[in-house]
Structure formats: structure tokens, C-alpha cells
Amino acid sequence: MNRTDKGRRGAASKRRSQRLVGGLRTRLVVALISAVTATALAYRDARTAVLQRTQNTAVNDLRERVTAVAADFDVPPDQQSLSRFAAKVSDGIGTRIVVARYQDLVAASDSLTETEDRITTELRTAVRTGDGARFQRVMWRGEPYLAVGMPVTYADGDHRTSGLEVFAITDLRAERDDTAALLDSVRKGIVPVVLLAAVLALLAAGTVLRPVRKLGRATRELAAGDLGSRVAVTGHDELADLATTFNETADALQASDAELREQEAKARRFVADVSHELRTPLAAMTMVATVLEEDADQLPPDTARAARTVGAETARLSRLVEDLMEISRFDAKAVRLNAAETDLADTVRASLALRGWTDRVQTHLHEGVRAVVDRRRIDVIVANLVGNALRHGSPPVTVTLRTALEADGEWVTLEVVDHGPGLLPRARERVFDRFYKADAARTRGAADDSGQGSGLGMAIALENARLHGGTIDVADGPQRGAVFTLRLPLRRTGEGTE
């Protein structure tokens, strides 16, 4: 897993942890707000119920009392009879003040009490034009009152109004005091309850959030490559089970990783040891094959052909051993750059001339491009890319060297283009794999500097590019063929290398 993948997974894990933590906190806040809102609604409903009960009682009492007294009342009344009517109605409904009106006559059960401002014009109009009880809550001298009015109708079944109107004024100060006491009780009770609930919720959330944070941190460390990351297990709840499962998974992953690393190290040592042991017998075989090739012209045709075949295969086997040792050094991180400021155009020309490819390759080299590189390793890259194009592509093969200024600095690119059949998408993805064979025409794998494939040439070229801080890309040509592009950061003397 590369650094980018690790960073993405770590960022994703961190975002999931933040969403979980934020979600729990949000839920706690919503729960507290809901509790306060529910309490406020309950207070409002209780206050409404108290006032509704008082209002219904006042209307019913007035209707029943008026019906009983009006049965013996003659219309039209005089002032004295109207006053007696008001007093009788008041006697039956407790402490309420009763006002009776008939046209211009007005009588109150308590003649010393001011009633005009507590029976509003709107209420009198509603009673006069209606056929049932009407009520209105009013404030008089800063105190709340309930005024109820109703018309008196004839008892002949037609519900004709007699012109007599009766009003009762009820003092609501007791109800106001009751609701105020209720509000005070709610206020005194809700504050400590909310505070206690908040503290308990935060404590409960802390017992969840703290282990979640620790588990998230350990997961990010594990994703970043720290296989020794573990979580302390406390308690016996579900979070403890989750932490135990995480630790067991991390143990298994660490053991598997250690086993794989050990097997990989053994495989590298085996390849290196075999390659080293083969060098001595191959050196002797190479000398014998060279002697046979030199005398091949004096041998019978079949023998001469066999001698040349042995010489060619011995040379290829020697190169394979050398490539195996080189790739083993890359795997063991034992490769070092011998970097110096180098003219890249001269290096490319020298690499082509050394292998006799100058007449077979078209070059477009930007002159004066100097960079701090390992000349031998650049020669290996050029030899493998051009050799691969010559072997598997078709002429013309073109090599282009140029520089480019990009957002992340100045880069040098070496582009090798052929006009062969090109590569299939699945072959482009694996062309740098070791010993990969794209098709029947690539039975020797990627080309090395001799033009004969060892199967490791392209892999070694890519490793050398990465050693310089660069890379090699492959794509289809503009018309046909394949395009291999070497990209290297353009470093000069004094800038250093990675």
C-alpha cells in the first residue's frame, strides 16, 4: 500500500470518527432541547387547562342561574326590579359581580363596584347580536378578569330575545397566581433536572466517545502501517468486545505480515544466493563458449551452429543472473546512486552508439540539458526502453529528450516511440512486472541492453527511474505503437538527490 492510499484511508477513518463523535454530541443537544421544549409545552397546556376550566364553570353557572331567576321576572322591568334580578343571580353564583341591562337601565349586584370598564363595548355588541353566552378576558387596573354575557330569551320555544342582558365578572387573580406558581415550580425544577441530565449525558457520552476516539486513533495508525497499534480493553460491555476484536485482528494481521516479510526475505536471499553461486560456473561456461564461437568457422556446419547457440544462450543466462542480482539489490534496499552532473543528450547518444543503434533510431535531443544523475543507471534505462522498442515495435523508433516546467518544478522527459502493434490495456498495466509476457511475440519478456530479453529489463528500468525520484509511463502512440516516457526531476549541482 503506497503513501497516498494510506493517507486516504487514514483521512476516511478520521472523518468517520469525527462524524460519530459529532453525531453523538448532536443527539445529546437535541435530546436536551427536546426535554426543555416538552416541559414548556406541558406548562402551556396546564395553564390553558386552568383557564378553560374557570371559563367553562363561569359560563355554565351563569346560564343555569339566569334560567332559574328569569322564569319569575317580568319584562319590561323598572330600575328596582332590575336591581333585585341582578342580586338574585349573583346570590347563586358565588363572589361574581352580576350586571343586568335592559335598554337604558343598568343594575349591578354590587352598586359600589365599578363595572363599566370590565364589560367592553365589543362584548356588549356580541351579546346583543348573538343568541348564546359570550366571554372575554380583560385586564382592569393591572388585574385579570373574565367577563361573561348572555341574552335572556322568552321561554316560548322561539328563543326570542327579551332585551334583557346579563353579565357576570369573575376575578382571575387566583388562577393567575396558580399558573405563576406552576411556572415557578417548573422553572425551579427544570433547571436542575436539565443540568443533571446534561451532566449525566456528557458522562455517558464520554464513556462512549473516549473509547471510540482511541479505537479510531488505533485504526488510523494501523492503516498507516503501525501494526503494533493496540487498544486498551476496559470493562465488559460492547465497546470492550469491540476493542478485543480489534486487538485480535491487529495481532493476526501483524503475525501474517511478519510471516510474509520473512518469506519475502527468504525468497530474496534465495535468489541472491543462487545468482551468486551461478556466477562462477557461468564465467567458466562463458570462456568455453567464447572459444567455441571463435573456432566455429573451422567446425562442421551442425557443430558450428550448436556452438553459436550455446554461446548465445550462455550470454543470455549470464545477463539473467546479473539482472537477478540487480533486482535483488533493489528489493534489499541496497542500491545507491553514484550521481554527478551529466549531459543527458550525450548520455543518450553514447548509449545508442555503444549498442550499434545509432542508424536504427531517430533522435530529437534538446542540447545542453544537464542534471545530477547516475550516468550508468540512465544508460540502463535508455538501453532497455530503446531495446524494447526495437525488438517488439516497428520502425521508425524515435527518441525525444526535452525539459518541461510544471507546477511541482522542472522536469526532464525522455520519450521512446515505436510504430509496432502497440500494447493491449491489460499488457500496459503489467508491462513493468517481472517476467511478464504480453503475447507470443514476447516469449523473452522485456528487452535488455543486448536486445535479447531477460524478462527483468523493464522492471529494472522502472526501479532506476524511481531511484532518481522519477517514473516511467506507457501509453498508446498517436497513430499506433507504444510510447514509453521517462520523467525525472531536473536537479543540478548543489540541489542534491533523494
Side-chain angles (χ1 to χ4, degrees), residues 34 112 220 242 293 333 428 433 482 497:
S34 300
L112 300 179
R220 291 192 294 273
L242 180 60
E293 284 188 288
K333 310 297 182 184
R428 286 199 301 270
D433 291 353
T497 59

Side-chain angles (χ1 to χ4, degrees), residues 311-390:
E313 292 301 316
T314 301
R316 195 180 72 84
L317 185 58
S318 297
R319 286 189 296 273
L320 175 59
V321 171
E322 292 298 328
D323 285 348
L324 283 172
M325 295 188 67
E326 180 72 0
I327 208 74
S328 297
R329 285 191 286 270
F330 278 112
D331 290 340
K333 310 297 182 184
V335 180
R336 294 293 181 269
L337 282 177
N338 185 18
E341 188 165 283
T342 304
D343 188 307
L344 295 180
D346 289 345
T347 302
V348 173
R349 278 191 290 266
S351 180
L352 298 178
L354 179 64
R355 294 160 181 85
W357 293 340
T358 303
D359 296 334
R360 301 174 60 188
V361 177
Q362 299 177 4
T363 58
H364 304 282
L365 308 178
H366 188 79
E367 300 295 337
V369 180
R370 301 183 65 84
V372 177
V373 296
D374 188 326
R375 184 184 179 103
R376 183 185 71 82
R377 298 188 182 279
I378 297 298
D379 173 75
V380 171
I381 297 174
V382 173
N384 279 288
L385 294 181
V386 176
N388 185 73
L390 290 173

Side-chain angles (χ1 to χ4, degrees), residues 55-257:
Q55 170 187 302
N56 292 340
T57 301
V59 171
N60 293 332
D61 289 350
L62 180 62
R63 182 184 294 113
E64 292 175 359
R65 188 59 182 167
V66 167
T67 301
V69 175
D72 300 327
F73 185 71
D74 296 326
V75 177
D78 56 17
Q79 183 67 44
Q80 186 176 4
S81 63
L82 189 62
S83 297
R84 287 197 300 271
F85 176 82
K88 289 182 179 180
V89 173
S90 177
D91 290 342
I93 57 176
T95 60
R96 299 183 183 92
I97 301 172
V98 175
V99 177
R101 301 176 65 93
Y102 184 82
Q103 296 180 358
D104 295 333
L105 297 178
V106 179
S109 60
D110 187 351
S111 59
L112 300 179
T113 302
E114 184 178 349
T115 60
E116 188 67 23
D117 292 337
R118 284 179 279 184
I119 302 175
T120 64
T121 303
E122 292 83 357
L123 179 61
R124 289 199 300 271
T125 302
V127 171
R128 185 178 304 113
T129 57
D131 58 358
R134 298 289 187 271
F135 61 88
Q136 184 181 30
R137 287 194 289 270
V138 296
M139 295 294 295
W140 183 68
R141 296 180 180 177
E143 301 295 342
Y145 290 89
L146 175 67
V148 179
M150 59 180 297
V152 178
T153 59
Y154 289 107
D156 56 4
D158 294 334
H159 299 289
R160 293 180 298 111
T161 58
S162 63
L164 178 63
E165 301 167 1
V166 183
F167 299 88
I169 301 173
T170 304
D171 191 346
L172 294 180
R173 284 178 290 183
E175 286 74 11
R176 179 199 61 187
D177 294 341
D178 290 342
T179 55
L182 176 62
L183 177 61
D184 188 58
S185 300
V186 170
R187 187 185 297 112
K188 290 180 180 179
I190 193 63
V191 172
V193 168
V194 168
L195 291 178
L196 179 60
V199 171
L200 293 177
L202 290 176
L203 290 176
T207 60
V208 175
L209 296 180
R210 196 175 299 111
V212 168
R213 290 194 191 100
K214 292 180 179 178
L215 185 59
R217 189 184 307 114
T219 303
R220 291 192 294 273
E221 292 172 353
L222 191 67
D226 183 8
L227 300 182
S229 179
R230 298 294 184 273
V231 179
V233 179
T234 56
H236 303 282
D237 55 7
E238 290 80 0
L239 288 174
D241 294 339
L242 180 60
T244 301
T245 302
F246 172 83
N247 290 339
E248 292 174 350
T249 303
D251 290 338
L253 182 61
Q254 187 174 30
S256 177
D257 178 74

Side-chain angles (χ1 to χ4, degrees), residues 1-3 5-11 13 217-227 229 261:
M1 182 171 60
N2 57 35
R3 293 182 180 178
D5 292 336
K6 292 178 181 177
R8 289 175 180 172
R9 295 186 183 184
S13 176
R217 189 184 307 114
T219 303
R220 291 192 294 273
E221 292 172 353
L222 191 67
D226 183 8
L227 300 182
S229 179
R261 289 178 183 275

